[in-house]
């Protein structure tokens, strides 16, 4: 028995076949438990098998030959066509690998660790699987992330996406909930905040996406402005953590008889936020009443399409002694010039105390950019 074992141990080809057989059995057992090896482990197993198989074949040729030296030379010569074939095939294999390779990332989502598998040819989709250590992962998709159109990896280039829609699945593979996450970016395209909105599955199943009708009593009205028969409203969608809320815009074109959701996405503001529409298109939402000079938080939202989309207003102001400026009033028109009154609490000119200084900003592009008014 020991002789047979030693003979097998010295036979690389047999050891290689036993190795792959054991791995097939392990994979089958893991599959029954809805678990599988991570991609890098599978690649390593295949690589070991291929190398072992090639070396084992050469070993058998060497052991069965009477002229060992000649066999070694012929084996080395025989590897040359194989190397040439591999080099010629590399561009084709590389091209196929680029479009078929799905990178894996270990990530946290909702305070749980997952293995995220990215597919990003024309559309970026991420499937999240259960994490079972650096070797293993689950076989069933627990969460699916839709990052929209493109060909990027959202874990390598996190600022490339504008948002993501997460779909959560139960143990039977059925959808149990959905959540939309919209990214808020600064002028450099860096994500500085996020808006989260839970999607009502029952509502999405019952109505078409184009059906945005909403009963007027369904949501709390935060602000309302009337322009002839058109009424625009900011209303609360939901409360979120940190004394914040999600809001969007409703519009009625029949003097308040019917209201429809205008906004493509909700925005997140503080519970003390203020709102205003200067006309049917131009509207503002003041978040906390403070404009941070490092852009770490959005201070003023601007819409130029009746609330369909919102962007962050940019204030061009430099003061190394303060972190933020305070908004004292909502934007207003003065002699057809769009203005906003702010203030800053700064060191006085004598440098022996502090003072409040009023600031007036003007905008020449409907509130997107604000410059300090020259005295």
């Amino acid at each position: 028995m020991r002789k047979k074992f030693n003979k097998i141990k010295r036979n690389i080809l047999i050891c290689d076949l036993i190795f792959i057989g054991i791995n097939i059995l392990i994979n089958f057992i893991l599959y029954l438990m809805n678990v599988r090896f991570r991609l890098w482990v599978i690649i390593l197993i295949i690589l070991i098998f291929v190398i072992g198989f090639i070396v084992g074949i050469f070993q058998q040729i060497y052991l069965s030959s009477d002229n060992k030296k000649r066999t070694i030379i012929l084996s080395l010569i025989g590897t040359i066509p194989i190397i040439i074939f591999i080099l010629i095939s590399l561009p084709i294999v590389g091209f196929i690998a680029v479009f078929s390779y799905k990178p894996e990332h270990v990530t946290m989502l909702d305070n749980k660790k997952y293995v995220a598998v990215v597919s990003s040819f024309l559309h970026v989709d991420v499937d999240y699987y259960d994490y079972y250590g650096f070797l293993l992962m689950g076989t069933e998709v627990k969460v699916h992330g839709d990052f929209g159109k493109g060909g990027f990896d959202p874990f390598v280039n996190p600022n490339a996406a504008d948002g993501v829609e997460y779909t959560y699945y139960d143990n039977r593979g059925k959808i149990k909930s959905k959540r939309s996450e919209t990214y808020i970016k600064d002028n450099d395209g860096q994500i500085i905040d996020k808006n989260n909105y839970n999607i009502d599955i029952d509502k999405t199943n019952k109505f078409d996406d184009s059906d945005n009708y909403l009963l007027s009593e369904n949501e709390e009205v935060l602000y309302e402005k009337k322009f002839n028969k058109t009424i625009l409203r900011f209303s609360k969608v939901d409360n979120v953590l940190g004394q914040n809320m999600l809001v969007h815009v409703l519009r009625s074109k029949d003097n308040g008889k019917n209201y429809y959701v205008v906004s493509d996405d909700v925005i997140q503001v503080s519970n003390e936020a203020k709102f205003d529409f200067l006309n049917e298109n131009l509207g503002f939402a003041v978040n906390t009443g403070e404009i941070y000079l490092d852009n770490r938080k959005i201070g003023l939202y601007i819409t130029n399409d009746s609330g369909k989309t919102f962007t962050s207003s940019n204030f061009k102001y430099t003061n190394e002694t303060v972190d933020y400026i305070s908004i004292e009033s909502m934007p207003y028109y003065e002699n057809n010039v769009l203005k906003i009154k702010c203030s800053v609490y700064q060191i006085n000119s004598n440098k022996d105390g502090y003072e409040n200084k009023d600031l007036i900003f003007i905008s020449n592009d409907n509130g997107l950019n604000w410059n300090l008014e020259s005295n």
Side-chain angles (χ1 to χ4, degrees):
M1 187 71 181
R2 181 178 296 179
K3 290 183 178 180
K4 289 184 179 180
F5 177 76
N6 290 332
K7 186 177 180 180
I8 292 174
K9 187 170 65 174
R10 289 193 296 267
N11 192 314
I12 296 176
L13 184 61
I14 293 179
C15 290
D16 191 55
L17 294 175
I18 293 174
F19 169 78
I20 198 65
I22 292 173
N23 275 282
I24 291 173
L25 178 62
I26 292 174
N27 273 276
F28 177 74
I29 295 173
L30 291 175
Y31 180 78
L32 295 178
M33 298 185 294
N34 293 321
V35 180
R36 70 173 178 85
F37 283 122
R38 298 270 303 278
L39 179 61
W40 73 268
V41 180
I42 295 174
I43 293 174
L44 181 61
I45 291 172
I46 294 173
L47 187 62
I48 293 173
F49 169 72
V50 171
I51 294 174
F53 185 80
I54 294 173
V55 173
I57 293 294
F58 282 129
Q59 183 193 44
Q60 293 303 308
I61 296 174
Y62 176 79
L63 293 175
S64 61
S65 174
D66 295 330
N67 191 334
K68 307 297 184 183
K69 186 176 181 179
R70 182 183 177 187
T71 301
I72 293 173
I73 295 173
L74 291 176
S75 298
L76 292 174
I77 295 174
T79 58
I80 295 175
I82 297 175
I83 294 173
I84 294 174
F85 175 76
I86 292 174
L87 293 175
I88 294 174
S89 303
L90 277 178
I92 299 174
V93 174
F95 179 81
I96 296 173
V98 167
F99 292 99
S100 60
Y101 174 63
K102 296 181 179 181
E104 294 180 357
H105 303 275
V106 177
T107 184
M108 296 293 295
L109 179 66
D110 304 323
N111 296 319
K112 183 178 179 181
K113 188 176 285 189
Y114 291 96
V115 177
V117 180
V118 180
S119 301
S120 57
F121 178 46
L122 297 175
H123 196 278
V124 183
D125 295 284
V126 179
D127 290 324
Y128 295 80
Y129 298 85
D130 285 330
Y131 173 81
Y132 296 115
F134 72 103
L135 293 176
L136 304 172
M137 60 184 285
T139 60
E140 298 178 351
V141 178
K142 295 300 181 181
V143 186
H144 175 77
D146 183 353
F147 287 81
K149 296 181 180 179
F152 58 90
D153 187 328
F155 299 95
V156 177
N157 300 299
N159 295 303
D162 293 323
V164 57
E165 182 178 294
Y166 292 110
T167 303
Y168 297 83
Y169 300 92
D170 60 20
N171 293 329
R172 294 176 294 177
K174 294 184 178 181
I175 297 175
K176 62 179 182 180
S177 63
K178 286 187 177 184
R179 178 170 64 85
S180 177
E181 192 171 273
T182 304
Y183 300 149
I184 301 169
K185 301 181 180 181
D186 59 18
N187 294 327
D188 296 324
Q190 303 295 312
I191 297 174
I192 58 175
D193 205 350
K194 298 177 182 179
N195 286 333
N196 289 294
Y197 178 49
N198 293 322
I199 300 172
D200 189 341
I201 298 177
D202 293 332
K203 183 177 179 180
T204 56
N205 289 337
K206 292 178 181 178
F207 301 101
D208 294 331
D209 292 337
S210 60
D211 190 355
N212 291 321
Y213 177 74
L214 187 70
L215 295 175
S216 59
E217 64 270 17
N218 280 5
E219 294 181 352
E220 179 184 347
V221 179
L222 304 171
Y223 168 89
E224 181 177 287
K225 189 95 173 259
K226 187 175 182 180
F227 302 95
N228 296 322
K229 290 187 177 182
T230 298
I231 299 175
L232 292 170
R233 283 180 171 178
F234 276 92
S235 66
K236 182 192 293 187
V237 176
D238 200 358
N239 291 306
V240 292
L241 296 176
Q243 299 297 312
N244 293 315
M245 59 182 171
L246 302 178
V247 303
H248 61 184
V249 174
L250 309 179
R251 178 172 59 193
S252 171
K253 291 187 175 183
D254 53 10
N255 207 26
K257 293 181 180 179
N258 298 283
Y259 284 89
Y260 294 83
V261 177
V262 178
S263 303
D264 290 338
D265 294 297
V266 295
I267 59 173
Q268 180 174 304
V269 295
S270 70
N271 290 338
E272 293 77 31
K274 296 180 180 180
F275 312 94
D276 193 17
F277 272 101
L278 297 182
N279 54 51
E280 287 190 39
N281 296 313
L282 180 60
F284 298 92
V286 175
N287 186 1
T288 62
E290 297 170 342
I291 304 294
Y292 285 89
L293 301 183
D294 60 1
N295 294 319
R296 69 174 181 264
K297 183 183 292 186
I298 291 181
L300 181 64
Y301 287 97
I302 164 72
T303 176
N304 278 294
D305 50 17
S306 302
K308 180 176 175 63
T309 59
F310 285 89
T311 56
S312 174
S313 289
N314 177 40
F315 283 76
K316 297 180 180 180
Y317 178 74
T318 302
N319 191 331
E320 296 180 355
T321 63
V322 299
D323 294 327
Y324 63 88
I325 57 179
S326 300
I327 298 177
E328 299 296 337
S329 70
M330 297 300 293
Y332 60 94
Y333 279 107
E334 184 179 281
N335 298 325
N336 294 322
V337 178
L338 185 59
K339 297 184 177 183
I340 186 171
K341 183 179 179 181
C342 301
S343 68
V344 62
Y345 189 64
Q346 64 178 16
I347 299 175
N348 60 27
S349 57
N350 296 326
K351 299 187 183 301
D352 58 359
Y354 287 84
E355 64 178 359
N356 272 315
K357 182 180 179 181
D358 290 335
L359 304 173
I360 302 295
F361 290 87
I362 63 173
S363 175
N364 297 316
D365 54 8
N366 285 333
L368 293 175
N369 295 284
W370 297 88
N371 295 285
L372 195 60
E373 184 181 43
S374 57
N375 296 327

